[in-house]
Amino acid sequence: MKLKFNGFLVLLLALLTQVAFAQERVVSGNVSDNSGMPLPGVSVLVKGTKTGSQTDFDGKFSIKATSSQILIFSYIGMKSQEIMANSTNLNVSLKDESVELEGVVVTALGIKKDEKKLGYAVSKVSGDEITKSGEQNLIQALAGKAAGVQIVGSGGTPGASSKIIIRGLNTITGSTDPLIVVDGIPIDNSTDQTSAGDNPFNANLSGINNSNRALDINPNDIESVTILKGPAAAALYGARAGNGVVIYTTKKGRAQRGLGIDFSTSLAIDKVSQLPARQSKYVQGTSATATAIAPSTPQSWGPTAAALGIPVYDNVGNFFQEGITHNNNIAFYGGNEKATFRTSYGNLSQTGMVPETGLKRNTIRLVGDLNLSDSWKAGASMQYTRTTNTLVQNGSNVSGVMLSLLRSVPNYDLRDYIDEEGNNKNYFSSYDNPYFTVNENPATSDVNRVLGNIYLTYKHAQWLALTAKGGIDAYSDARKQIFAVSANNAGGIGEVSFNSINNKEFYGDLLATGLIPLKTEWLQINYTAGLNLRSSQYLSLYSRGRDLAVRGLYNLSNATELYASNYEANTISRAVFAQVEFDIKDQIFLAGTVRKEWSSTYGTNVNSAIFPSGTAAWIASNTFDLNNYVKLSYGYGEVGIAPRAYATISTYSQPFMTDGFTDGLSFPYDGINGMTVSGTLGNQNLKPERVLGHDLGLSTKFIDNRLSADISLYHKTSKDLLINVPLPQSSGFGTDYRNAAELVNKGIEVELGYDIFQKSNPFQWNINLNWAKNENKVIDISGGLTEVSVESAFASIGYYAVKGQPLGSFYGTKWARDDNGQKIIGSNGLAVIADETGNLGNSAPNWTGGFRNTFAYKGITLSAFIDVRRGGAVYNGTLARLHNFGISEQSADRERTYIIEGVKADGSPNDIAISAKDYFRKYLGDGGGAAEEAVTDVNWVRLRDVTLSYDFNVKRFPAINNAQIAFTGRNLFLDTNYKGVDPETSLTGAGSRINGLDYFNNPGSKSFIMSLKVGF
């Protein structure tokens, strides 16, 4: 009986096996990567069995499986994918492990989070958008690409600095720069201006426009950018995050078969984008009836060139040249499950539109990650950059290129710039000829920089992982400025100066993270706790030699008069912090953070500061099982801006006296030195400025996630702002640096995205739009003050914080007006200037917007980005001076009289005619007119960038993974009401708190770029 039963089982088993094999059939198809390229050697396995296969050279596979079985596709360096074998023909696309999961962003401390769980707004910019912009400055590359983020350039010269302002200005006298973080380690992005210790003026108004140090990062090494805009997002960074945080994540290696190689090369041609229009009809002089040139004046109110029978020259057109940029990059990457690496080299060589200017940057970067075991992981990166720059004199400066060039008279050919002895020749002896400046007065910068970080992670269990990481950012900047004999900036006696800047920053974190084990599925609790230590060491040494004995020998030993000064600042801070996150049923996400920070810049009576935050996000679509995605979020946080170093004590300095025009008198004087307690009283009650912010957001996705919308409302209050409050001179001090002001920023941001067609459509059209509006107001200034100078500007116009007004308002002379707002005209026919100065406008735009369209079809991609700005005052001091000197195009209409619109003292309409010379000099110009006349509320629409690219089909070339050729135009179109250089400009650069100041600024550029990328 038992034998019969066993025989029956064997027969039944054989029958079932036969039925199973009868259901098997051949499943075939293709496997490709995320770019559509075929993947050879992909493992194809029937789940739960040992049946497997591999793709061939063309990415094709074939395997036997039943319709109910699952196929597992896996490949080194790719994310594995499981697909039901319910079809006999499958097309599979695998994604790189290095590609961030959709919706994952890098947040504070380098922690990656699912964006849907965040209770605050962030903006993301891809590395591809950075490189496509063609900008070599990482900050300038963000222009227009994120709502609420304003970028202010300082001219189109190589290495010119760029400033970033996130959601308005948060401080009056502190730095407005956000914190820049690369791979979790904060780096220095300062813009240092070389200034002698005996210079009593604001060095930002003249001299060299130096680079911001983010320039040392190669854009081709960037994978993605995350912008933490509000205090709730940035609270874990404490007193360094008062202006927001910009997080750059660099490219890393990935596990794959063999060695990967990426190579790219590009050629860019830069041209001047926009300049003030000039007249060339009337020549040098002060009288239209003169019979000869008057070389003793820089003005062009003389007779016509035709009347004197002399030629005219296009000095501006002759001076500028096409700038050429060569950019070459190569990267090697690879690895396996145990270790990955990436090493890259970038070489940038740029010649400027201004002759003899240029930039060279060489960058080497090494990145590696190592899985030591299942519990231990380590990694490190190192970057070395050498950046050399030849810069140009700028702004309010008799050696300034644009000052002499734009004022140049049409009858003088500037190319005749030097005499037989090598002395400066020009149409006006008090100005340096721009050709003399670029050839004989060079300014150079040589930066060597090392960035490095290392980490070690131990994962004990799901509830505990420990990470120790540290980083260093060290650079030296060797600067040299020459003023040749006969250069006006040095009084004609010749000068050489050196400025050596050394900066070191050390950063370290110890983190504990984990998921708290709970006996429930509806709640998850994650925590992060840690310690932070940061140290900064800064030293600037300045030396100068004047009155050179031997022409052309630029060495301090060749100087008769020697001077030296230095500045150093050493600071240290330490902090403890913690974060707890609650995930409730994948619907409600709550998080809270706190950071307690101690800093050497705080007063001893304060000692420490606490920065908390709390956020909440609710995915309503998960709660109500909606087809579309809907999330509401709210966040509150506090961040800060630390006091400047050594402000807690009263320091000594060399006193000086000046008349506002000359350098005045200072010690040492007549061989005798003198020191005195500086005019600012030390304050042991100093604490960090605090920015308290509320953030309310709505995020939605519709039409199968093809339509997305993110709307953010925010309100920030900046308290305890540090300002200089006047003290009675009888106290022995002039000012008290204290926490004494308050301001508010509030605004709205909108980001929209729409994929017009489904992903399966061969033709793709994607639209992205961002729009932002910010309102700013100074709420309170204590100490009995109603206004504070933000930074010294010109005598005719200042940049102020005024109680009840937006921060950064221009204040200067205004026209006197009657009750109806009509200008009052005096008996001489000229408008009357009011007795008191007034608000002339604010430099912040009323709103900004960006609009990108991207079209793609069979390897061809066309992308165009339009950048829009509405409002924001710019002081066009350049045009005011050109009017005054009779150089402006408008001033050529001078053979008639003018009547200024307004009313006379008796209220009747003005009918008093004045000469064209008085009209342009004393009304439109700065030869007696009000500063109000030179302030323009600026609007623009610009084609920020447009790129046409083609991805080649490289299937026939087994050694090549991908190849792309692209043509890019930057700033090709600009429609603006501004009559000057490109209004995206700043005389004082990124190291200044002043925005919107144009006084013979260097021009912006438009660029034509051709690039080629190949991957092996």
Side-chain angles (χ1 to χ4, degrees):
M1 184 69 179
K2 183 177 180 180
L3 181 61
K4 290 182 179 179
F5 182 72
N6 287 341
F8 175 76
L9 287 178
V10 171
L11 181 62
L12 179 61
L13 180 60
L15 179 63
L16 291 174
T17 303
Q18 183 177 2
V19 171
F21 276 107
Q23 291 177 336
E24 282 186 340
R25 74 270 198 260
V26 175
V27 179
S28 60
N30 297 279
V31 181
S32 61
D33 61 15
N34 54 295
S35 64
M37 304 307 299
L39 283 174
V42 175
S43 172
V44 186
L45 180 69
V46 178
K47 190 174 184 179
T49 74
K50 294 184 179 180
T51 303
S53 178
Q54 278 191 342
T55 59
D56 62 15
F57 186 79
D58 295 320
K60 296 179 180 180
F61 73 93
S62 178
I63 193 171
K64 290 183 178 181
T66 68
S67 60
S68 60
Q69 289 180 315
I70 295 174
L71 300 181
I72 302 175
F73 297 83
S74 59
Y75 186 75
I76 294 176
M78 299 286 182
K79 296 179 178 66
S80 297
Q81 193 171 150
E82 297 185 3
I83 297 178
M84 185 71 71
N86 54 8
S87 173
T88 58
N89 189 6
L90 296 175
N91 290 317
V92 182
S93 177
L94 300 182
K95 292 184 177 181
D96 293 346
E97 287 182 348
S98 61
V99 177
E100 297 289 349
L101 293 174
E102 184 177 359
V104 175
V105 295
V106 180
T107 62
L109 303 179
I111 300 172
K112 296 179 181 179
K113 293 183 181 179
D114 192 340
E115 189 175 5
K116 72 178 183 180
K117 298 181 180 181
L118 301 180
Y120 48 78
V122 299
S123 287
K124 298 174 293 182
V125 180
S126 69
D128 189 50
E129 289 183 86
I130 296 294
T131 54
K132 280 184 177 179
S133 72
E135 298 284 359
Q136 296 307 319
N137 191 317
L138 274 183
I139 301 300
Q140 189 64 38
L142 295 175
K145 294 178 176 60
V149 178
Q150 181 189 1
I151 306 297
V152 183
S154 55
T157 54
S161 65
S162 294
K163 180 188 298 186
I164 179 171
I165 300 172
I166 301 175
R167 289 184 171 179
L169 299 170
N170 300 293
T171 179
I172 295 176
T173 61
S175 171
T176 60
D177 291 337
L179 178 65
I180 305 298
V181 178
V182 177
D183 290 339
I185 304 297
I187 69 166
D188 180 77
N189 183 43
S190 61
T191 308
D192 287 326
Q193 184 68 26
T194 295
S195 180
D198 60 350
N199 179 14
F201 305 115
N202 182 0
N204 291 313
L205 296 173
S206 61
I208 300 300
N209 192 325
N210 290 291
S211 304
N212 59 297
R213 290 271 55 94
L215 178 73
D216 302 324
I217 307 296
N218 184 359
N220 285 274
D221 286 331
I222 300 301
E223 180 72 31
S224 64
V225 185
T226 304
I227 304 174
L228 309 181
K229 296 186 281 192
L236 281 173
Y237 286 114
R240 302 189 73 191
N243 297 305
V245 183
V246 182
I247 300 174
Y248 291 92
T249 302
T250 64
K251 297 175 182 177
K252 301 184 184 303
R254 62 173 182 260
Q256 64 174 31
R257 296 181 186 273
L259 178 68
I261 303 175
D262 286 335
F263 173 75
S264 67
T265 183
S266 66
L267 171 66
I269 301 174
D270 298 328
K271 296 185 176 182
V272 173
S273 61
Q274 180 170 301
L275 288 168
R278 302 167 73 251
Q279 66 88 13
S280 59
K281 181 179 179 180
Y282 296 91
V283 299
Q284 188 174 10
T286 57
S287 172
T289 59
T291 58
I293 300 297
S296 60
T297 178
Q299 298 184 22
S300 291
W301 288 105
T304 65
L308 298 182
I310 59 176
V312 295
Y313 302 93
D314 181 10
N315 285 316
V316 174
N318 292 337
F319 182 76
F320 291 107
Q321 63 184 20
E322 288 185 345
I324 304 294
T325 301
H326 298 276
N327 191 9
N328 299 292
N329 293 272
I330 190 167
F332 301 90
Y333 58 89
N336 53 33
E337 292 84 353
K338 292 292 185 180
T340 62
F341 75 93
R342 181 180 187 270
T343 179
S344 64
Y345 170 69
N347 171 261
L348 172 73
S349 179
Q350 182 179 13
T351 59
M353 302 177 299
V354 175
E356 305 302 323
T357 61
L359 171 71
K360 291 184 179 180
R361 182 180 64 205
N362 288 275
T363 306
I364 299 174
R365 187 172 182 84
L366 303 173
V367 184
D369 295 281
L370 178 63
N371 292 316
L372 301 171
S373 67
D374 291 340
S375 300
W376 291 90
K377 183 177 182 180
S381 70
M382 188 280 290
Q383 174 182 309
Y384 168 72
T385 301
R386 186 182 182 197
T387 307
T388 58
N389 205 355
T390 302
L391 305 107
V392 63
Q393 295 293 323
N394 184 45
S396 181
N397 180 349
V398 291
S399 292
V401 164
M402 293 297 288
L403 184 143
S404 181
L405 178 65
L406 291 184
R407 298 181 185 187
S408 64
V409 294
N411 54 273
Y412 187 89
D413 188 351
L414 287 178
R415 291 171 292 190
D416 181 19
Y417 73 92
I418 197 168
D419 66 16
E420 295 80 2
E421 296 180 358
N423 293 318
N424 172 47
K425 285 180 64 178
N426 205 7
Y427 60 93
F428 184 57
S429 60
S430 296
Y431 303 158
D432 285 355
N433 189 305
Y435 288 94
F436 186 85
T437 290
V438 298
N439 286 284
E440 307 297 330
N441 300 337
T444 59
S445 168
D446 188 345
V447 174
N448 288 273
R449 187 172 190 175
V450 174
L451 296 171
N453 70 68
I454 187 171
Y455 75 89
L456 178 65
T457 296
Y458 169 68
K459 187 174 182 180
H460 175 71
Q462 190 178 31
W463 60 271
L464 177 62
L466 298 174
T467 298
K469 64 179 179 180
I472 183 173
D473 176 8
Y475 67 83
S476 64
D477 186 357
R479 299 175 180 178
K480 183 178 182 180
Q481 171 69 70
I482 292 172
F483 288 110
V485 173
S486 77
N488 284 283
N489 212 327
I493 58 178
E495 175 182 304
V496 59
S497 62
F498 300 89
N499 186 200
S500 175
I501 297 174
N502 288 276
N503 188 75
K504 297 178 184 177
E505 290 197 10
F506 302 92
Y507 181 91
D509 278 332
L510 178 62
L511 301 173
T513 60
L515 175 65
I516 296 177
L518 299 173
K519 295 181 179 180
T520 179
E521 296 182 357
W522 65 271
L523 175 65
Q524 289 186 349
I525 302 177
N526 289 279
Y527 74 89
T528 300
L531 309 172
N532 170 252
L533 180 66
R534 185 183 73 89
S535 173
S536 175
Q537 302 170 14
Y538 176 90
L539 173 63
S540 176
L541 297 173
Y542 176 87
S543 57
R544 182 184 67 214
R546 283 178 175 167
D547 195 1
L548 305 181
V550 179
R551 185 190 295 267
L553 178 58
Y554 298 107
N555 188 288
L556 292 178
S557 62
N558 187 40
T560 305
E561 175 190 329
L562 297 175
Y563 173 83
S565 62
N566 73 286
Y567 173 79
E568 61 181 304
N570 300 315
T571 63
I572 189 169
S573 68
R574 61 189 190 277
V576 295
F577 52 84
Q579 175 178 262
V580 181
E581 300 171 292
F582 301 87
D583 180 343
I584 304 173
K585 292 186 175 182
D586 199 35
Q587 299 174 20
I588 298 176
F589 307 94
L590 306 175
T593 73
V594 64
R595 177 185 177 104
K596 184 169 183 178
E597 185 171 303
W598 295 262
S599 174
S600 60
T601 63
Y602 302 169
T604 55
N605 298 334
V606 175
N607 192 28
S608 65
I610 296 177
F611 304 96
S613 79
T615 64
W618 173 40
I619 303 180
S621 50
N622 286 1
T623 302
F624 298 109
D625 196 23
L626 303 177
N627 292 328
N628 300 311
Y629 173 80
V630 179
K631 185 186 88 168
L632 295 171
S633 62
Y634 168 76
Y636 171 80
E638 298 183 15
V639 287
I641 299 173
R644 64 174 183 251
Y646 308 128
T648 58
I649 58 177
S650 301
T651 58
Y652 285 86
S653 63
Q654 292 177 324
F656 60 81
M657 295 175 288
T658 180
D659 55 11
F661 296 95
T662 67
D663 289 345
L665 300 176
S666 63
F667 287 95
Y669 181 75
D670 197 21
I672 300 174
N673 195 17
M675 295 287 286
T676 185
V677 176
S678 67
T680 302
L681 176 67
N683 186 353
Q684 290 294 342
N685 294 312
L686 288 182
K687 53 187 175 182
E689 301 178 343
R690 303 185 69 84
V691 183
L692 292 64
H694 301 267
D695 204 320
L696 183 64
L698 170 65
S699 298
T700 61
K701 293 182 180 179
F702 302 97
I703 318 177
D704 296 328
N705 293 338
R706 285 162 48 205
L707 176 62
S708 63
D710 292 278
I711 302 173
S712 297
L713 301 172
Y714 63 88
H715 187 283
K716 296 187 298 180
T717 302
S718 297
K719 294 186 175 182
D720 300 325
L721 298 185
L722 291 158
I723 61 173
N724 290 310
V725 176
L727 292 176
Q729 291 293 336
S730 58
S731 67
F733 297 91
T735 57
D736 178 18
Y737 181 64
R738 69 170 85 155
N739 302 95
E742 181 177 331
L743 64 85
V744 167
N745 283 281
K746 57 183 179 181
I748 180 173
E749 298 167 350
V750 178
E751 293 185 347
L752 301 175
Y754 184 41
D755 295 326
I756 304 297
F757 303 107
Q758 295 181 352
K759 295 295 184 183
S760 58
N761 195 305
F763 179 74
Q764 290 293 304
W765 180 8
N766 174 262
I767 297 173
N768 284 283
L769 180 147
N770 70 76
W771 181 88
K773 179 179 177 61
N774 180 81
E775 294 181 357
N776 174 290
K777 182 183 288 188
V778 178
I779 300 301
D780 183 48
I781 303 176
S782 62
L785 302 176
T786 58
E787 63 184 43
V788 176
S789 175
V790 174
E791 186 177 322
S792 59
F794 296 121
S796 59
I797 194 166
Y799 202 70
Y800 286 85
V802 181
K803 186 175 181 179
Q805 298 290 333
L807 174 63
S809 294
F810 287 114
Y811 266 68
T813 53
K814 301 187 70 174
W815 298 121
R817 299 177 185 270
D818 65 9
D819 294 338
N820 297 320
Q822 294 284 326
K823 295 174 186 174
I824 298 175
I825 310 301
S827 58
N828 58 359
L830 292 170
V832 177
I833 295 178
D835 294 333
E836 296 182 356
T837 59
N839 191 336
L840 307 181
N842 186 265
S843 60
N846 297 332
W847 59 263
T848 58
F851 184 66
R852 181 176 292 281
N853 276 278
T854 303
F855 306 91
Y857 179 71
K858 291 186 177 180
I860 300 175
T861 303
L862 175 63
S863 178
F865 183 75
I866 296 175
D867 184 15
V868 183
R869 162 173 159 162
R870 184 72 178 179
V874 174
Y875 172 68
N876 195 345
T878 304
L879 185 60
R881 182 53 57 97
L882 296 184
H883 282 321
N884 181 358
F885 282 15
I887 302 293
S888 65
E889 184 180 55
Q890 290 172 268
S891 65
D893 186 12
R894 62 181 64 173
E895 295 179 2
R896 66 182 182 92
T897 58
Y898 287 83
I899 297 176
I900 300 174
E901 184 177 356
V903 296
K904 294 186 288 188
D906 59 4
S908 61
N910 177 46
D911 57 2
I912 305 173
I914 59 175
S915 67
K917 187 175 181 180
D918 281 348
Y919 179 78
F920 286 102
R921 295 194 68 231
K922 300 179 181 180
Y923 176 63
L924 294 184
D926 59 1
E932 172 188 357
E933 197 65 33
V935 175
T936 303
D937 206 36
V938 171
N939 306 312
W940 78 50
V941 176
R942 74 172 71 234
L943 183 60
R944 174 71 65 179
D945 62 69
V946 57
T947 299
L948 176 64
S949 63
Y950 176 69
D951 291 285
F952 292 94
N953 186 343
V954 295
K955 291 182 179 180
R956 293 178 295 175
F957 304 96
I960 301 177
N961 291 332
N962 58 80
Q964 181 192 83
I965 188 170
F967 300 90
T968 298
R970 185 179 66 230
N971 290 331
L972 297 186
F973 171 79
L974 173 63
D975 181 18
T976 180
N977 64 325
Y978 189 69
K979 298 176 180 179
V981 296
D982 187 328
E984 187 180 68
T985 186
S986 171
L987 168 66
T988 51
S992 166
R993 293 179 294 274
I994 302 178
N995 301 310
L997 199 60
D998 179 4
Y999 193 76
F1000 296 98
N1001 294 12
N1002 294 322
S1005 64
K1006 55 183 176 182
S1007 306
F1008 306 86
I1009 308 167
M1010 182 179 70
S1011 61
L1012 174 67
K1013 298 179 181 178
V1014 183
F1016 301 91

